[in-house]
Amino acid sequence: MANWANLVQNCVSKKQNKQLSRLYLLTFTTFLCTIFYLLGLWQHSPPSLAAVSAATNLAGRRNCADPTSNFLSHPISKSTLNFSATHYYPDPVETASEFHAPPCNASLSEYTPCEDVQRSLPFPRENLIYRERHCPTEAEMLRCRIPAPFGYRVPLRWPASRDAAWFANVPHKELTVEKKNQNWVRVEGDLFKFPGGGTMFPRGASAYIDDIGKHIDLKDGSIRTALDTGCGVASWGAYLLSRDILAVSFAPRDTHEAQVQFALERGVPALIGVLASIRLPYPSRAFDMAHCSRCLIPWGLSDGIYLTEVDRVLRPGGYWILSGPPINWESHWKGWDRTRESLKEEQDTIEKVAKSLCWKKLVQKGDLAIWQKPTNHIHCKITRKVFKNRPFCEAKDPDTAWYTKMDTCLTPLPEVNDIREVSGGQLSNWPERLTSVPPRISSGSLKGVTVDMFNENTELWKKRVAYYKTLDYQLAERGRYRNLLDMNAYLGGFAAALIDDPVWVMNTVPVEAEFNTLGAIYERGLIGTYQNWCEAMSTYPRTYDFIHGDSVFSLYQNRCKMEDILLEMDRILRPQGSVILRDDVDVLLKVKNFADAMQWDSRIADHEKGPHQREKIFFAVKQYWTAPSPDQNPM
């Protein structure tokens, strides 16, 4: 029992000794930390005035460097002591941007660089070559911002804009005088009014379209895309819109003053263009219907080269409609100031060309004539062996149409096995056509794009456009925008996602894009054009309310200057219109610097998937500004 008690006592004694040792160690460690802390605080504290003075005197006597020079940079006084941290990187010095975009002269308010009248003068008049695109060289490009005319106002909202536009936006009265008796356009107060008339439809465009509808079914959705050559103020296209038919209208820059500009102010798709020596900027088999109402195009000229180009862009089974000279020349030859013989010869030539294209004439009634293109070329190839006329084109991509010369050879349709089969594939009627897989994709002829890719792209753009509307309240406001542009449309997913909004989208496929997808876009029932964004677009200033671009500047890196593309965007964007671009963050930071110099209100937002994506969204609004009043004295 005694041994057990001694053992317990020894254990307790050892435990107390161990605790005492730990207490001594903790106290000693605390003491050392306190000493080193105070020593460090003393060593790094600012020197006293006396110490500084002594050190300065000593340095002067010994001709040594001032030991306090790391702390003080001014003569010693209480007011100049600096107690701030001295180890930091200074803020970068802001330098003025080398890019300046001042306003252009007010006389350039309607400047269209590639259709400039003065630039066109040296080019040949033959076949209207002088009216084609002739773009300025890089050295000739204007690097200023095109002004809106004084008094410019945001256009009326659709559908009111179909019938009226502000006079200040297109201040030209020439057409109101020249076409006074044809009901094209008239001035009422501060507005232009568009009654819907035309040279060949004095009862109005709607009644004229009804006449066409008696011979072609315009209601079942089989006709969705149309081409209007020599469009005037585009009343034909304007009144087709209510029938779910989307027309691309075009006319030359200087035939009648501002006719294409009037169309755009009305909210109707239109481009500046001409049938001359270069193919129209559309793929083959694009349009369900093409139209000419006294468009004054010499269809029989040069072995029918212009009708051959219409054939290239017409879909199998598509229609060509002609009204005006020489149709019904027997009744109108005196009013047209033409001889009966010349008009008859012109019509005979047209009939001959149409036959050589294997077209079938459906009807000629009154002032209207309609031809139909065959759905395939099986029968046409048989007749070629018999008559040996108008050979088929060989080894030439029918969809290549950017500065590509027109030819008189016949563009062959895709091969079929049965005469009842539609070349290139049967299209769904509208509106199912929008979401149906385009035949170019389902057949595999559009290399690099699969059915799954198309379906995924369609769903992707629904989500992206929904996100865009959270960034741009104007895009979200139904009816605020009308004319939209997609600079790199791919499969037209952006336009398809907006199909229920009262807008139209010009889908552009850059000629530098990896895939030529414009044909598939047309097969969806959408419209578009080819474009090289190193050049200006064939349209007037202030064409679009909204511009969208997906990876445009990444595509054009090392091809041309970013600022030139942005200045072109500024030219064709309306005041108070907006821009949304998506691209790599480094690219968009450069874009924003230039946009700020152009006085756009801009910001960069996160990708719709969140902030961790390198791809970002650039959003900008062009400020409202106009040319000064003509009465204002220059400073």
Side-chain angles (χ1 to χ4, degrees):
M1 187 69 179
N3 290 337
W4 175 253
N6 290 334
L7 180 62
V8 171
Q9 186 176 2
N10 288 338
C11 290
V12 172
S13 177
K14 289 180 179 179
K15 184 176 182 180
Q16 290 174 345
N17 289 338
K18 187 175 181 180
Q19 290 176 345
L20 185 61
S21 298
R22 288 179 177 176
L23 181 62
Y24 287 152
L25 180 61
L26 180 62
T27 303
F28 182 70
T29 302
T30 303
F31 174 75
L32 286 178
C33 289
T34 304
I35 291 298
F36 282 118
Y37 173 75
L38 293 174
L39 182 63
L41 187 66
W42 172 81
Q43 185 176 359
H44 292 288
S45 62
S48 65
L49 286 176
V52 171
S53 178
T56 304
N57 291 336
L58 182 62
R61 289 195 301 270
R62 295 183 181 179
N63 196 27
C64 297
D66 183 356
T68 67
S69 60
N70 287 335
F71 299 95
L72 301 172
S73 57
H74 299 285
I76 304 303
S77 70
K78 289 184 179 181
S79 62
T80 59
L81 287 177
N82 181 6
F83 295 96
S84 63
T86 58
H87 298 284
Y88 63 90
Y89 286 104
D91 291 333
V93 177
E94 292 187 3
T95 58
S97 171
E98 295 181 359
F99 174 67
H100 300 284
C104 300
N105 189 280
S107 63
L108 295 169
S109 66
E110 293 177 3
Y111 180 60
T112 55
C114 296
E115 282 82 16
D116 181 63
V117 176
Q118 294 302 314
R119 184 174 290 106
S120 72
L121 293 178
F123 292 91
R125 295 297 193 268
E126 181 184 1
N127 295 336
L128 300 180
I129 291 175
Y130 77 106
R131 286 188 176 176
E132 292 181 323
R133 285 175 58 88
H134 302 293
C135 297
T137 64
E138 183 179 345
E140 295 174 318
M141 288 183 179
L142 293 180
R143 289 185 169 85
C144 54
R145 291 174 292 137
I146 303 298
F150 178 74
Y152 179 89
R153 300 171 68 173
V154 173
L156 300 172
R157 296 195 178 194
W158 184 267
S161 64
R162 187 193 70 174
D163 302 322
W166 299 113
F167 176 80
N169 292 10
V170 194
H172 299 289
K173 292 186 177 181
E174 290 85 349
L175 279 180
T176 65
V177 176
E178 185 175 346
K179 302 294 181 180
K180 181 178 180 180
N181 298 325
Q182 297 173 15
N183 251 357
W184 279 29
V185 58
R186 61 175 182 263
V187 178
E188 293 183 8
D190 57 357
L191 287 171
F192 283 112
K193 290 294 184 72
F194 303 95
T199 306
M200 296 309 301
F201 34 94
R203 295 183 295 120
S206 186
Y208 175 76
I209 293 170
D210 287 339
D211 289 340
I212 295 173
K214 295 174 183 176
H215 310 290
I216 303 173
D217 194 340
L218 301 178
K219 298 178 180 179
D220 66 351
S222 61
I223 305 294
R224 167 60 182 172
T225 55
L227 179 68
D228 191 14
T229 57
C231 62
V233 296
S235 288
W236 187 72
Y239 281 82
L240 281 173
L241 287 166
S242 62
R243 304 166 193 250
D244 273 340
I245 298 175
L246 194 56
V248 177
S249 302
F250 75 89
R253 170 72 173 82
D254 59 342
T255 299
H256 296 300
E257 189 71 46
Q259 56 183 336
V260 170
Q261 196 173 14
F262 277 130
L264 295 167
E265 283 295 312
R266 300 177 71 181
V268 179
L271 289 166
I272 299 172
V274 64
L275 275 167
S277 67
I278 303 295
R279 282 181 172 180
L280 296 172
Y282 315 116
S284 65
R285 312 193 318 269
F287 298 98
D288 299 304
M289 180 168 60
H291 173 256
C292 162
S293 175
R294 197 167 187 177
C295 59
L296 303 180
I297 295 173
W299 295 111
L301 188 69
S302 302
D303 196 23
I305 192 169
Y306 301 143
L307 269 185
T308 306
E309 174 62 4
V310 170
D311 178 83
R312 182 185 71 86
V313 299
L314 262 186
R315 189 157 295 145
Y319 303 96
W320 184 59
I321 303 165
L322 176 64
S323 64
I327 303 303
N328 201 10
W329 57 268
E330 297 92 343
S331 301
H332 298 299
W333 68 275
K334 289 183 179 179
W336 290 338
D337 197 22
R338 296 268 303 274
T339 65
R340 296 169 60 95
E341 291 74 20
S342 68
L343 287 165
K344 183 180 185 303
E345 181 182 2
E346 183 180 351
Q347 177 148 359
D348 289 344
T349 303
I350 290 174
E351 302 280 5
K352 182 180 178 181
V353 172
K355 187 175 181 180
S356 74
L357 297 170
C358 300
W359 290 2
K360 177 183 178 182
K361 190 172 187 180
L362 293 183
V363 65
Q364 178 172 324
K365 186 175 182 180
D367 299 336
L368 196 67
I370 304 175
W371 286 262
Q372 185 175 22
K373 178 177 176 175
T375 55
N376 59 62
H377 275 162
I378 288 181
H379 185 266
C380 194
K381 288 181 178 179
I382 295 173
T383 61
R384 284 297 167 281
K385 295 177 181 179
V386 176
F387 298 107
K388 300 184 183 301
N389 59 353
R390 197 170 297 275
F392 284 97
C393 301
E394 297 180 2
K396 195 171 187 179
D397 185 352
D399 289 346
T400 301
W402 189 252
Y403 293 122
T404 304
K405 288 288 186 181
M406 289 192 298
D407 206 336
T408 56
C409 59
L410 179 58
T411 301
L413 290 172
E415 295 289 341
V416 295
N417 298 317
D418 190 279
I419 198 162
R420 291 167 295 183
E421 190 177 347
V422 177
S423 288
Q426 180 69 48
L427 291 179
S428 302
N429 288 351
W430 183 262
E432 290 78 14
R433 188 182 295 187
L434 180 70
T435 52
S436 299
V437 179
R440 278 175 165 89
I441 295 176
S442 60
S443 67
S445 62
L446 180 52
K447 304 299 182 183
V449 182
T450 65
V451 171
D452 288 342
M453 291 169 64
F454 170 79
N455 291 327
E456 290 170 4
N457 184 266
T458 299
E459 294 303 314
L460 174 65
W461 279 104
K462 289 179 182 178
K463 297 175 182 178
R464 287 180 169 180
V465 169
Y467 180 63
Y468 287 169
K469 290 184 176 181
T470 68
L471 300 176
D472 184 356
Y473 75 91
Q474 295 189 112
L475 182 63
E477 182 185 345
R478 185 176 177 84
R480 168 62 183 89
Y481 291 150
R482 175 63 183 169
N483 303 359
L484 277 62
L485 172 70
D486 193 355
M487 297 177 69
N488 188 12
Y490 187 42
L491 297 174
F494 171 76
L498 289 165
I499 200 64
D500 293 327
D501 290 6
V503 302
W504 60 268
V505 180
M506 184 63 73
N507 296 281
T508 61
V509 172
V511 293
E512 297 82 4
E514 184 178 2
F515 305 113
N516 183 355
T517 54
L518 192 55
I521 288 173
Y522 272 95
E523 288 180 339
R524 300 188 72 175
L526 304 172
I527 59 172
T529 183
Y530 293 114
Q531 178 65 34
N532 177 352
W533 287 113
C534 291
E535 299 179 0
M537 195 174 184
S538 290
T539 192
Y540 282 90
R542 303 171 298 283
T543 287
Y544 295 104
D545 304 294
F546 178 94
I547 298 176
H548 173 257
D550 180 6
S551 304
V552 172
F553 289 97
S554 288
L555 178 63
Y556 280 93
Q557 277 185 332
N558 304 319
R559 286 190 166 103
C560 50
K561 293 181 178 178
M562 178 182 286
E563 56 266 41
D564 289 338
I565 299 177
L566 284 164
L567 280 170
E568 173 62 6
M569 293 168 63
D570 184 84
R571 183 185 76 88
I572 63 179
L573 182 64
R574 286 175 171 164
Q576 298 183 326
S578 59
V579 173
I580 287 182
L581 304 172
R582 57 189 311 121
D583 217 315
D584 184 85
V585 61
D586 291 341
V587 174
L588 293 185
L589 287 171
K590 296 177 183 177
V591 168
K592 190 176 189 311
N593 287 335
F594 289 124
D596 291 343
M598 296 192 306
Q599 299 183 352
W600 288 2
D601 294 325
S602 67
R603 62 187 175 94
I604 296 177
D606 286 329
H607 190 277
E608 60 267 8
K609 290 184 178 179
H612 301 298
Q613 305 290 322
R614 275 200 63 85
E615 186 176 72
K616 302 294 181 184
I617 311 297
F618 170 84
F619 168 62
V621 177
K622 178 179 175 179
Q623 293 184 6
Y624 175 86
W625 65 280
T626 72
S629 168
D631 301 328
Q632 182 176 327
N633 293 325
M635 298 297 291

